[in-house]
């Protein structure tokens, strides 16, 4: 449920509109391909998570099996991406609340939700898990009901005649922008699946990780496939794809548009509540993950040691507080670019997610080569099809990252991401040089 809560957020409820505009009805194939990539990534990550259950997860694995630079860059990139995502979700939550309270300034909602979720995370991992479980449950129940009601509407059960499936081939056909459009939509689509890796981050605090982590990963991916593909089938079937989104700006959820066309009493308010809880759930999950990543950096010596301390409840409070920095950054972006802020924030956060997934596959290749020669016991969880499926997932992700350059509004993915890697590399060189100097001065003469 935590993984589902991390994955189902504005990527689905808002970002899907951009994916539909880019691919048309073929967005269904895009979501299926995204599911395949997520499944491959989960297979590689679960194998390593069971072998090394730790709070740093893929950042620690990159350091162990690639290099210290890799561990440094992966963890800081993921931390920064999650921080930006937290701010983006908080801004979206404020926009949703203005539906009911237009006179309340957005910054007040951001502060209020931030205090509530920081408090929930500070109380301990058990409180976080309970909080996130019920948040995720609301989203899951809403999507199931959305799919069920949409299925009834598309047939002749509740509407005579039924809406039918004409929208899948009308308005330019199933592939109105060809296979190119389907592929270019993958940037928006894969963003909906990013967040599933959070299960591996929780492995360090999970009971019996050898059993529960692979089970959670497998069941979560299967459910996401059903939710995402089912939701897209209903969305495309009920609303003509060229009416879902008119431009690069994201002003409303396409799911709200569906309920408006259905003329269900109070449906707009109900759906607005659902997307609000979705934003808060993702914000809560991102805050948890970014906190653990900063904690891992501090424990690894890559950040001030004070950030690696925990409270009596076992919570890294200082790492939690510094991980809220993205709230302020994203709020400024939203104030400067109110109509396109979400797309810009999505693009920046997408680079971090794609880079980490790419590094998961690269690390998995090195992990497998190192495991057997070092005389380790047989792996309790093994990814089938190694190394070909690992290489396939790696190639697909690299292709998606490169293709964002040709997607409207998505150039910040590379424009911000590549300089960020360069800046981090300089930071790592400074850290490594300082670390060597400290070791030399501490050695006895």
């Amino acid at each position: 449920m935590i993984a589902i809560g991390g994955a189902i957020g504005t990527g689905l409820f808002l970002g899907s509109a951009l994916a539909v505009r880019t691919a048309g009805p073929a967005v269904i194939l895009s979501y299926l391909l995204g599911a395949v990539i997520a499944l491959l990534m989960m297979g590689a990550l679960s194998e390593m998570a069971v072998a090394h259950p730790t709070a740093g997860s893929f950042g620690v694995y990159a350091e162990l099996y690639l290099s210290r630079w890799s561990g440094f860059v992966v963890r800081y990139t993921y931390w920064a991406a999650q921080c930006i995502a937290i701010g983006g979700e908080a801004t979206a939550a404020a926009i949703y609340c203005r539906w009911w309270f237009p006179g309340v300034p957005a910054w007040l909602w951001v502060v209020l939700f931030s205090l509530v979720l920081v408090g929930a995370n500070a109380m301990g991992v058990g409180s976080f898990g309970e909080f996130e479980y019920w948040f995720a449950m609301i989203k899951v129940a809403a999507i199931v009901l959305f799919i069920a009601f949409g299925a009834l509407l598309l047939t002749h059960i509740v509407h005579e005649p039924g809406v039918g499936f004409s929208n899948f081939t009308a308005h330019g056909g199933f592939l109105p922008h060809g296979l190119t459009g389907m592929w270019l939509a993958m940037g928006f689509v894969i963003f909906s699946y990013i967040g599933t890796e959070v299960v591996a981050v929780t492995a360090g605090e999970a009971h019996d990780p050898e059993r529960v982590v692979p089970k959670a990963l497998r069941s979560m991916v299967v459910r996401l496939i059903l939710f995402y593909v089912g939701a897209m089938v209903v969305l495309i079937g009920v609303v003509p794809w060229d009416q879902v989104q008119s431009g690069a700006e994201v002003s409303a959820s396409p799911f709200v548009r569906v309920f408006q066309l259905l003329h269900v009493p109070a449906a707009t308010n109900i759906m607005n509540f659902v997307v609000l809880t979705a934003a808060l759930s993702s914000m809560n999950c991102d805050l948890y993950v970014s906190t653990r990543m900063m904690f891992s950096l501090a424990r690894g010596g890559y950040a001030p040691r004070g950030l690696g301390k925990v409270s009596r409840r076992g919570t890294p409070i200082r790492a939690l507080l510094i991980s809220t920095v993205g709230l302020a950054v994203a709020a400024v972006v939203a104030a400067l670019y109110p109509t396109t802020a979400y797309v810009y924030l999505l693009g920046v956060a997408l680079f971090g997610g794609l880079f980490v997934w790419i590094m998961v596959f690269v690390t998995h290749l090195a992990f497998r080569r190192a495991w057997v020669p070092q005389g380790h016991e047989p792996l309790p969880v093994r990814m089938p099809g190694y190394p070909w499926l690992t290489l396939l997932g790696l190639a697909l992700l690299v292709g998606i990252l490169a293709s964002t350059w040709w997607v409207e509004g998505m150039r910040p993915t590379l424009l911000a991401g590549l300089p960020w890697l360069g800046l981090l590399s300089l930071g790592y060189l400074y850290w490594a040089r300082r670390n060597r100097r400290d070791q030399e001065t501490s050695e006895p003469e």
Side-chain angles (χ1 to χ4, degrees):
M1 290 301 293
I2 289 174
I4 290 176
I8 300 178
T10 55
L12 174 65
F13 290 118
L14 285 180
S16 59
L18 298 167
V20 171
R21 180 175 64 87
T22 304
V27 73
I28 297 172
L29 300 180
S30 300
Y31 272 93
L32 286 172
L33 180 57
V36 171
I37 298 174
L39 195 58
L40 295 177
M41 196 277 299
M42 287 296 99
L45 188 55
S46 62
E47 185 177 296
M48 294 185 291
V50 170
H52 300 287
T54 177
S57 187
F58 33 80
V60 174
Y61 312 151
E63 179 178 340
L64 289 175
Y65 294 100
L66 295 177
S67 65
R68 301 199 76 177
W69 173 87
S70 299
F72 182 92
V73 171
V74 165
R75 279 181 279 195
Y76 264 113
T77 298
Y78 194 71
W79 175 79
Q82 291 296 324
C83 286
I84 294 298
I86 293 168
E89 301 287 357
T91 304
I95 294 173
Y96 299 146
C97 286
R98 282 194 303 194
W99 175 269
W100 297 304
F101 308 101
V104 179
W107 66 265
L108 188 59
W109 291 115
V110 172
V111 172
L112 176 61
F113 292 136
S114 299
L115 291 174
V116 171
L117 295 179
V118 169
N121 276 267
M123 293 175 64
V125 68
S127 299
F128 160 79
E130 190 74 15
F131 201 67
E132 184 62 26
Y133 177 84
W134 291 109
F135 262 165
M137 184 64 74
I138 293 174
K139 290 190 284 189
V140 170
I143 292 177
V144 169
L145 291 175
F146 177 82
I147 295 173
F149 196 84
L152 296 177
L153 187 72
L154 291 173
T155 61
H156 298 270
I157 298 178
V158 298
H159 191 279
E160 189 62 39
V163 175
F165 298 94
S166 60
N167 284 332
F168 289 99
T169 54
H171 313 283
F174 185 75
L175 285 162
H177 298 147
L179 292 175
T180 300
M182 187 204 80
W183 176 254
L184 292 180
M186 287 302 301
F188 302 113
V189 169
I190 206 68
F191 187 76
S192 298
Y193 287 98
I194 291 176
T196 55
E197 71 284 342
V198 71
V199 170
V201 179
T202 65
E205 297 173 279
H207 177 67
D208 191 12
E210 291 188 10
R211 183 182 62 86
V212 299
V213 171
K215 179 181 178 182
L217 289 170
R218 288 193 301 269
S219 62
M220 173 271 304
V221 172
V222 171
R223 288 167 185 162
L224 283 181
I225 294 172
L226 295 176
F227 293 157
Y228 286 173
V229 176
M232 286 303 103
V233 169
V234 170
L235 181 63
I236 297 298
V238 174
V239 182
W241 72 269
D242 54 357
Q243 297 181 23
V244 171
Q245 186 72 20
S246 58
E249 303 83 9
V250 181
S251 57
S253 169
F255 292 81
V256 174
R257 174 63 174 160
V258 169
F259 277 90
Q260 287 177 335
L261 293 179
L262 295 181
H263 303 292
V264 179
T268 304
N269 287 324
I270 294 173
M271 199 62 202
N272 198 60
F273 172 76
V274 171
V275 296
L276 172 61
T277 59
L280 294 177
S281 172
S282 295
M283 180 181 171
N284 187 43
C285 196
D286 291 343
L287 188 57
Y288 171 89
V289 175
S290 60
T291 298
R292 267 57 186 179
M293 198 57 62
M294 179 53 66
F295 172 80
S296 174
L297 283 164
R299 285 295 178 94
Y302 299 121
R305 294 181 180 179
L307 298 176
K309 295 182 178 180
V310 296
S311 66
R312 298 178 187 176
R313 299 175 181 268
T315 304
I317 297 294
R318 296 180 183 180
L320 170 64
L321 294 177
I322 198 173
S323 296
T324 62
V325 66
L327 291 168
V329 175
V332 172
V333 175
L336 294 176
Y337 307 99
T339 59
T340 56
Y342 173 74
V343 182
Y344 291 155
L345 293 173
L346 184 152
V348 174
L350 176 63
F351 178 86
L354 284 176
F355 177 76
V356 168
W357 280 29
I358 287 171
M359 292 301 289
V360 166
F361 284 118
V362 174
T363 305
H364 184 245
L365 292 172
F367 166 79
R368 272 294 191 92
R369 288 196 300 268
W371 187 264
V372 176
Q374 291 180 4
H376 292 296
E377 297 179 357
L379 291 166
V381 177
R382 294 179 65 89
M383 178 183 178
Y386 172 85
W388 304 113
L389 291 184
T390 302
L391 292 171
L392 174 62
L394 176 61
L396 290 172
L397 287 176
V398 171
I400 292 172
L401 180 60
S403 68
T404 59
W405 185 257
W406 291 276
V407 181
E408 182 181 1
M410 292 295 287
R411 287 195 172 183
T413 301
L414 294 174
L415 290 177
L418 296 180
W420 168 256
L421 289 182
L423 181 64
L424 276 184
S425 297
L426 292 176
Y428 173 78
L429 292 176
Y430 170 79
W431 171 87
R433 183 176 302 173
R434 182 177 178 181
N435 191 48
R436 284 196 302 267
R437 186 166 56 246
D438 292 343
Q439 289 179 351
E440 291 173 356
T441 56
S442 64
E443 291 179 357
E445 296 183 359

